[in-house]
Amino acid sequence: MIYPENFEQKTGFDHIRQLIAAHCLSPLGEENVSGMSFSSDFNHIRKQLYQTDEFTRIIREEDAFPTDYFFDVRDALRKIRIEGAYLIEKELFDIRRSLETIHGMVGFFHHSESYPYLQELASGVTSFPRLTGQIDAILDKFGKVRDNASPELAGIRRQLTQTANGISKTLQSILRAAQSESLVDRDVTPTMRDGRLMIPVLPAFKRKIKGIVHDESASGKTVFIEPAEVVEANNKIRELESEERREIIRILTVFTNQIRPDIPEILNAYRFMADIDFIRAKALFALDVNAILPAFEDTLQIDWIHAVHPLLYLSHKKQNRPVVPLDMELPSRPAILLVSGPNAGGKSVLLKTAGLLQYMLQSGLLIPVDERSKTGVFKDIFLDIGDEQSIENDLSTYSSHLLNMKLMLKQAGRESLILIDEFGGGTEPNIGGAIAEALLHRFNEKGCFGVITTHYHNLKLYADSHEGVVNGAMLYDRHLMQPLFQLSVGQPGSSFAVEIARKIGLPENVIDEASEKVGRDYISMDKYLQDIVRDKRYWETKRREIRRQEKQLEELSERYRSDLEKLESQKKEWLAKAKADAEKLLSEANAQIENTIRGIREAQAEKEKTKEIRKGLETFRQKVKGERVKGEGVKGEGQKVKGEGRKAVAATFSVGDRVRMKGQQTVGKVLSAKDDFFIAAFGAVKTIVRAEQLEKVQGANPPSPASNPSPAPVLSNGKLNFKLEIDVRGMRGEEALQAVMYYIDDAVRYNAGRVRILHGTGTGALRQIIREYLKTAPGVKHFQDEHVQFGGAGITVVELL
């Protein structure tokens, strides 16, 4: 149940409806917008929400979705249900083009697995490609009946052309004769009047040309004569045109009779088109107000983060003003949020935002909240806001307010959401506050959910002392003397009446006298209330900062743990390799010694031969010594040697040097250097290489890409298959890092310029690992989070050199 009847006007939903209708492509979608209504059926709402969410992705990601020719031909189809009725050319042309659009939409969803809810909507829809082909055989691309639509029509139009050509020749002959006799001017040409070709002449010469005077100009200075020689031919033209119309009607009637049995299925296809037009309009509106699909659950809950009133957002956007988002959470059942605070502090906006967004959600619309928000379903929404006084019905403001309360007490229950503005206002404060407290107690007993705004202290005290009702305050900056439009849940708010009175310049003696009348204790209590709100804001800020630091520590701890495990694994690999190398070395040494001894024995101690054998042994010893140094490097020292060796090699190259890859013939040029990495260009290809992979080249300048075309096919093939984003969600840290390293290398080589890395949010560990690498990766100019509308912190955008 929705109460009152003008709920949409009070919350602004009627304007939302108009904005959505403006995005529709045809009356088909506009009718669905008019029929959009509140629902409490969870499955129905979920289907609508997911359909709209999927279409927002189509708008952002797809370019091939057909949106042309959304025509409403339902009246024409209903008309031809009657025997003898037929479709005229325009109606048939509109059907042909709109059926082509339906065929394109159905084909789009059938060939895409990314939009399951829209795919389900398209299932069972017939797009009638055979019917489209039949229409093409009748109509040309301009929507006119073809000459070859039937043999009879082709013959009639052939006779028409021949007769018209004969008339034209005869008239030209008569006109030339008249011009030679100066009966008509030289620049005069035959004119069509009432479907017949005629010659314009001056009234003085109308008797000089034999024929029928059909008309004269408005000024009376020209008469139009149909020469006697072409009267019969013009009559024949008229007869042929009548035959042509009859034949066209016959062709259209025959076709209409053929499709009459298919009218129900064709109308079903247009219902699908209406649904798509409606869903598309909702999706476009969602993008206009940055609306999303939050977590939607079959429960009674409001847990909104950064909720924004859509109409307020659009209004402020035109003025380049920011909108302060609201965080709103109703605690466990029963849950009534009692909001207090200064006038013009945003209480009514909060109430309208709550009512409008919940109504939008349950009408199948996406809402502008943060993706972390959680939403639910209510059976009823009751609203009491604004002035409902009526002279005709003898109702005052307070009387209308009480009538609303009476209905809410009767109808509201555990699945209802009640929204009441200025609770208890409009009458004498003491009795108004008492009645309001009694009503609040009843609503709490009934287990209603609700958001209620008030200034009454007795209600704030009730909320503080009763479970099920919680205080909330709209914050106010006492130093700047302006509202912050932020909701703080847990403490009541002050009305800041004294501060606002001082701000607008009310005399100080008036303020002092008012303070004495209400008592210093009341003023002090209000001040303490303000201090509590201020302190709560301070400690909440501190808590958020501590949580942020704790999260950073957790991420660093996870990163160090991962690095330690990686080092331990590498250490084991190095030791195993060193052991294998040592065993191999020992085996080779033993074999060499045995060969040496055998050689000396076989040489029978000849001096020169022994020297030669000893020299071979010394050579092997030097070789072993060198490999031993390498082996020690594997255990620890060698890492340093290896690093210094790389630096020494890297020092031999500088920017601008001509180089080539070892084992390759293509000559390139060093573009930039970082540590022992270089970005080198080989023709049209840029690549990242280590120093030890390069060798200097002496001589002429490196060939241009045109003179060295060999890499071009590789580049073009690579570019063809290269994508501007990589998805590493679900991968382990090391696996994802390896994939990103190869991907960035390819991106630099293909001059990608800008790429995206999809790593998700999760704990943030994967994002941290990738960004640590990007800080040191050669070729990376800059990286940042994607815009929140397109993924936010779950996607890193990388700008390349």
Side-chain angles (χ1 to χ4, degrees):
M1 177 180 181
I2 297 298
Y3 180 84
E5 291 183 359
N6 61 346
F7 180 95
E8 293 190 2
Q9 288 74 28
K10 282 181 173 288
T11 58
F13 187 81
D14 57 332
H15 190 42
I16 299 285
R17 198 186 290 273
Q18 292 172 9
L19 292 173
I20 296 172
H23 284 300
C24 290
L25 297 170
S26 72
L28 293 164
E30 292 172 2
E31 283 187 17
N32 281 18
V33 174
S34 299
M36 179 172 55
S37 61
F38 177 88
S39 171
S40 58
D41 184 336
F42 173 76
N43 291 326
H44 174 72
I45 300 169
R46 181 177 62 178
K47 182 184 292 185
Q48 288 189 316
L49 292 175
Y50 275 92
Q51 286 173 349
T52 308
D53 181 61
E54 288 178 358
F55 214 101
T56 59
R57 289 193 283 120
I58 290 175
I59 295 171
R60 286 196 298 257
E61 301 169 7
E62 305 283 356
D63 296 326
F65 190 82
T67 56
D68 297 326
Y69 309 128
F70 273 64
F71 296 123
D72 185 5
V73 298
R74 292 172 299 175
D75 289 342
L77 291 172
R78 295 187 187 105
K79 173 189 74 175
I80 64 171
R81 285 176 172 171
I82 303 171
E83 289 289 338
Y86 62 91
L87 295 166
I88 62 175
E89 289 172 273
K90 183 184 181 307
E91 293 170 343
L92 191 60
F93 193 44
D94 287 348
I95 289 174
R96 186 255 176 271
R97 289 182 291 173
S98 52
L99 282 178
E100 183 180 20
T101 299
I102 293 171
H103 181 70
M105 292 190 296
V106 171
F108 178 90
F109 292 124
H110 283 175
H111 292 93
S112 175
E113 301 294 333
S114 303
Y115 313 105
Y117 283 87
L118 291 173
Q119 190 177 42
E120 180 186 358
L121 183 66
S123 63
V125 176
T126 305
S127 55
F128 300 97
R130 177 185 56 80
L131 195 60
T132 305
Q134 290 176 341
I135 297 174
D136 285 340
I138 297 173
L139 301 181
D140 60 19
K141 62 181 180 180
F142 303 108
K144 301 299 180 183
V145 176
R146 295 176 179 273
D147 292 350
N148 59 355
S150 74
E152 292 80 5
L153 183 62
I156 292 169
R157 287 185 173 174
R158 188 164 50 251
Q159 290 183 58
L160 271 170
T161 303
Q162 293 171 353
T163 306
N165 290 339
I167 292 173
S168 178
K169 289 179 182 179
T170 303
L171 279 178
Q172 290 294 340
S173 175
I174 295 171
L175 186 61
R176 282 194 298 270
Q179 288 171 342
S180 65
E181 296 176 10
S182 299
L183 299 179
V184 296
D185 295 334
R186 291 288 178 184
D187 58 349
V188 169
T189 58
T191 303
M192 184 71 70
R193 306 290 282 192
D194 195 24
R196 304 172 80 92
L197 280 170
M198 304 180 190
I199 297 176
V201 298
L202 295 174
F205 301 124
K206 64 182 180 181
R207 303 292 182 190
K208 300 292 185 180
I209 299 176
K210 293 181 179 180
I212 301 171
V213 177
H214 280 273
D215 200 0
E216 66 178 19
S217 64
S219 63
K221 294 182 179 181
T222 304
V223 295
F224 299 94
I225 298 175
E226 180 184 15
E229 293 88 339
V230 299
V231 170
E232 192 61 34
N234 272 332
N235 290 339
K236 185 177 181 182
I237 288 283
R238 287 295 183 89
E239 292 173 2
L240 289 172
E241 286 175 347
S242 297
E243 290 181 23
E244 180 188 30
R245 281 194 297 273
R246 286 194 296 271
E247 179 59 20
I248 288 174
I249 291 172
R250 188 192 68 79
I251 293 170
L252 295 176
T253 303
V254 169
F255 177 78
T256 302
N257 292 337
Q258 290 176 354
I259 69 167
R260 188 170 286 114
D262 298 326
I263 289 176
E265 283 194 47
I266 298 175
L267 285 172
N268 182 58
Y270 280 95
R271 279 190 286 271
F272 167 72
M273 175 177 271
D275 290 339
I276 292 298
D277 192 11
F278 175 48
I279 294 167
R280 175 183 173 276
K282 291 194 295 182
L284 287 171
F285 174 75
L287 295 175
D288 288 343
V289 297
N290 295 327
I292 65 159
L293 173 60
F296 180 60
E297 301 169 0
D298 191 9
T299 185
L300 301 165
Q301 66 176 354
I302 289 181
D303 184 4
W304 298 343
I305 301 172
H306 293 174
V308 174
H309 193 293
L311 298 178
L312 190 63
Y313 169 80
L314 292 174
S315 174
H316 280 41
K317 185 178 179 181
K318 291 178 182 177
Q319 305 168 35
N320 292 320
R321 293 170 54 196
V323 176
V324 180
L326 293 165
D327 293 345
M328 187 188 311
E329 178 183 2
L330 297 185
S332 58
R333 173 188 297 284
I336 297 177
L337 177 63
L338 189 73
V339 183
S340 51
N343 289 315
K347 298 190 300 297
S348 296
V349 173
L350 167 71
L351 196 75
K352 286 187 176 181
T353 301
L356 178 60
L357 294 193
Q358 189 63 40
Y359 191 84
M360 285 174 60
L361 184 78
Q362 293 191 230
S363 297
L365 298 177
L366 305 184
I367 58 175
V369 295
D370 189 87
E371 58 188 8
R372 296 168 292 168
S373 302
K374 296 179 181 178
T375 58
V377 181
F378 293 93
K379 183 179 179 182
D380 315 297
I381 302 179
F382 297 92
L383 176 68
D384 178 44
I385 188 172
D387 188 358
E388 291 292 336
Q389 63 178 323
S390 171
I391 297 175
E392 293 83 359
N393 298 324
D394 196 23
L395 280 178
S396 67
T397 300
Y398 188 65
S399 298
S400 66
H401 173 73
L402 289 180
L403 281 176
N404 290 338
M405 295 304 103
K406 175 185 174 183
L407 185 135
M408 289 184 190
L409 279 177
K410 182 179 179 181
Q411 300 290 345
R414 294 178 63 82
E415 297 180 351
S416 301
L417 175 65
I418 59 173
L419 305 168
I420 305 173
D421 192 30
E422 299 295 347
F423 195 29
T427 189
E428 194 274 323
N430 287 333
I431 188 62
I435 292 175
E437 184 175 341
L439 287 168
L440 180 60
H441 182 68
R442 298 295 186 279
F443 290 138
N444 192 23
E445 284 183 335
K446 290 169 76 71
C448 300
F449 282 76
V451 180
I452 299 174
T453 69
T454 189
H455 288 284
Y456 288 151
H457 272 279
N458 65 312
L459 299 182
K460 301 176 189 177
L461 293 173
Y462 179 90
D464 194 49
S465 59
H466 289 76
E467 290 187 3
V469 184
V470 62
N471 274 305
M474 297 305 295
L475 301 182
Y476 192 85
D477 192 320
R478 291 170 60 186
H479 301 289
L480 298 177
M481 296 301 295
Q482 64 184 25
L484 298 175
F485 302 108
Q486 295 176 359
L487 174 66
S488 175
V489 177
Q491 296 293 337
S494 167
S495 296
F496 291 92
V498 173
E499 288 78 0
I500 293 173
R502 282 198 178 99
K503 179 184 177 182
I504 65 174
L506 204 65
E508 193 64 32
N509 59 349
V510 174
I511 296 173
D512 290 339
E513 184 178 344
S515 300
E516 289 176 3
K517 288 183 180 295
V518 297
R520 291 294 171 184
D521 290 342
Y522 182 89
I523 299 298
S524 297
M525 182 181 69
D526 200 50
K527 182 178 180 301
Y528 293 147
L529 198 58
Q530 297 171 19
D531 291 339
I532 290 171
V533 172
R534 180 200 62 203
D535 293 343
K536 186 168 185 269
R537 284 177 57 204
Y538 172 80
W539 289 114
E540 283 182 347
T541 303
K542 283 290 184 184
R543 184 178 62 182
R544 284 196 296 269
E545 180 63 22
I546 291 170
R547 284 179 177 174
R548 186 183 65 80
Q549 292 177 356
E550 286 179 347
K551 186 177 180 181
Q552 288 181 342
L553 286 174
E554 289 175 1
E555 291 174 353
L556 284 173
S557 176
E558 176 64 25
R559 179 180 154 203
Y560 291 146
R561 185 188 63 78
S562 175
D563 290 346
L564 187 60
E565 289 177 355
K566 193 184 297 183
L567 287 173
E568 287 293 332
S569 175
Q570 289 177 348
K571 179 181 176 182
K572 291 178 181 179
E573 291 176 5
W574 291 338
L575 289 175
K577 185 176 184 300
K579 184 177 179 181
D581 290 345
E583 290 176 353
K584 179 182 178 184
L585 191 61
L586 183 60
S587 175
E588 291 178 354
N590 288 335
Q592 185 66 28
I593 292 170
E594 290 175 1
N595 289 337
T596 302
I597 294 171
R598 186 168 60 253
I600 291 173
R601 285 176 178 171
E602 290 175 353
Q604 295 180 351
E606 290 181 11
K607 188 179 287 188
E608 292 300 324
K609 191 69 174 177
T610 301
K611 271 186 181 181
E612 186 180 336
I613 294 171
R614 286 181 179 277
K615 187 177 179 182
L617 184 60
E618 180 63 21
T619 302
F620 177 72
R621 189 181 72 80
Q622 292 296 332
K623 178 183 175 184
V624 168
K625 184 178 179 182
E627 296 208 359
R628 181 170 167 268
V629 171
K630 289 172 93 177
E632 289 175 353
V634 170
K635 293 180 182 177
E637 291 293 328
Q639 193 68 25
K640 180 179 177 182
V641 172
K642 187 176 181 182
E644 290 176 353
R646 283 181 176 172
K647 288 180 181 178
V649 174
T652 63
F653 300 99
S654 60
V655 175
D657 283 351
R658 297 178 60 253
V659 294
R660 67 183 169 203
M661 300 283 289
K662 290 180 178 179
Q664 302 291 326
Q665 297 300 318
T666 305
V667 178
K669 183 178 180 181
V670 176
L671 300 179
S672 63
K674 185 172 184 181
D675 297 331
D676 61 334
F677 287 96
F678 293 90
I679 296 180
F682 296 93
V685 180
K686 284 198 299 185
T687 186
I688 302 173
V689 293
R690 289 187 179 274
E692 57 264 26
Q693 295 176 273
L694 297 174
E695 59 185 10
K696 276 192 176 182
V697 177
Q698 303 298 328
N701 289 330
S704 66
S707 62
N708 186 20
S710 58
V714 177
L715 176 64
S716 60
N717 290 337
K719 274 193 173 182
L720 186 63
N721 297 320
F722 183 76
K723 297 183 179 178
L724 292 178
E725 68 178 30
I726 181 173
D727 190 347
V728 297
R729 291 173 295 182
M731 295 186 185
R732 291 174 56 252
E734 186 176 347
E735 180 186 2
L737 182 59
Q738 188 74 18
V740 170
M741 289 171 67
Y742 285 128
Y743 178 73
I744 293 296
D745 193 9
D746 288 343
V748 171
R749 191 192 321 167
Y750 298 136
N751 294 322
R754 183 176 185 270
V755 295
R756 305 195 326 156
I757 303 173
L758 283 69
H759 45 65
T761 49
T763 63
L766 197 58
R767 174 176 178 266
Q768 185 70 19
I769 291 171
I770 291 172
R771 293 199 170 193
E772 287 296 326
Y773 162 69
L774 292 175
K775 289 178 184 177
T776 60
V780 174
K781 178 180 179 183
H782 171 68
F783 59 87
Q784 64 185 23
D785 285 346
E786 177 60 280
H787 188 279
V788 67
Q789 184 178 347
F790 303 113
I795 300 175
T796 295
V797 178
V798 184
E799 302 283 346
L800 303 173
L801 292 173

